Amino acid sequence: MNDSSDFAAPGPAAGYARSVAKILVLHGPNLNLLGDREPEVYGRTSLADLDTALIRQAEAAGDTLASYQSNAEHELVERVQAARHDTTAFILINPAAFTHTSVALRDALAAAALPFIEVHLSNPHAREPFRRQSYFSDLAVGVVAGFGADSYRYALDAAVKRLASA
Ligand code: DQA
């Protein structure tokens, strides 16, 4: 019998503060229009409000969060490349339309070898057939889709938990 009550060995959760992790959120093309863009599909939360909520959520968990949006594939590739050397520990990415097209962004994430979660506001599987293909899902730690802005919230929660247990 393994009774830990008498000989409780201190584990990572027993009084040791873990280090602050740096989380990067990447938003792909047209997500700068969040709130205005097809609100019946993508919701009414602006990108600025969404990012502010994520920063607060990360900080409440003891981590930090930086966010970056671009409409340009090469800029997202370059941001992922930069993440290899800037102490980023985890990436949340909504590749938006690049989900279905971008081998370049997939390759950048594979090269970075950082854990990431693929995030979507809508559920691409409940939409047009071309949205069912993702160049990211098989490399991702997980995929969160279909919950509007809450998809990011759930993904960040999962990232924080994973970082805490790493
Ligand atoms: C999206 C889904 C994609 O199919 C689409 O191209 C987007 C947004 C989403 O968050 O639901 O731009 O990634």
Side-chain angles (χ1 to χ4, degrees):
M1 179 183 157
N2 183 7
D3 182 355
S4 60
S5 56
D6 288 333
F7 303 101
Y16 291 88
R18 71 176 174 94
S19 57
V20 175
K22 192 164 151 185
I23 298 164
L24 174 65
V25 183
L26 294 174
H27 306 284
N30 300 304
L31 294 175
N32 54 312
L33 302 179
L34 269 189
D36 278 348
R37 170 197 186 201
E38 300 176 80
E40 66 289 354
V41 178
Y42 299 115
R44 295 189 186 276
T45 307
S46 70
L47 188 63
D49 286 349
L50 194 154
D51 281 341
T52 300
L54 291 176
I55 289 166
R56 288 207 185 110
Q57 184 183 341
E59 288 178 354
D63 292 319
T64 64
L65 184 136
S67 119
Y68 180 77
Q69 188 278 329
S70 179
N71 295 324
E73 186 177 30
H74 74 279
E75 289 181 353
L76 291 163
V77 167
E78 280 159 19
R79 187 63 192 85
V80 171
Q81 289 187 9
R84 299 169 75 203
H85 307 296
D86 72 0
T87 72
T88 295
F90 206 102
I91 295 176
L92 306 184
I93 181 166
N94 183 347
F98 291 147
T99 307
H100 321 297
T101 63
S102 183
V103 177
L105 193 50
R106 173 198 170 88
D107 285 353
L109 284 158
L114 289 167
F116 73 91
I117 296 177
E118 177 183 341
V119 182
H120 299 284
L121 297 136
S122 67
N123 176 0
H125 297 280
R127 301 179 62 192
E128 303 95 319
F130 68 83
R131 293 186 202 276
R132 290 184 200 142
Q133 150 101 349
S134 166
Y135 280 99
F136 299 86
S137 302
D138 63 309
L139 295 182
V141 171
V143 181
V144 184
F147 302 101
D150 282 343
S151 290
Y152 287 88
R153 191 155 68 82
Y154 301 151
L156 179 55
D157 189 40
V160 163
K161 284 198 177 117
R162 200 174 173 97
L163 287 164
S165 65

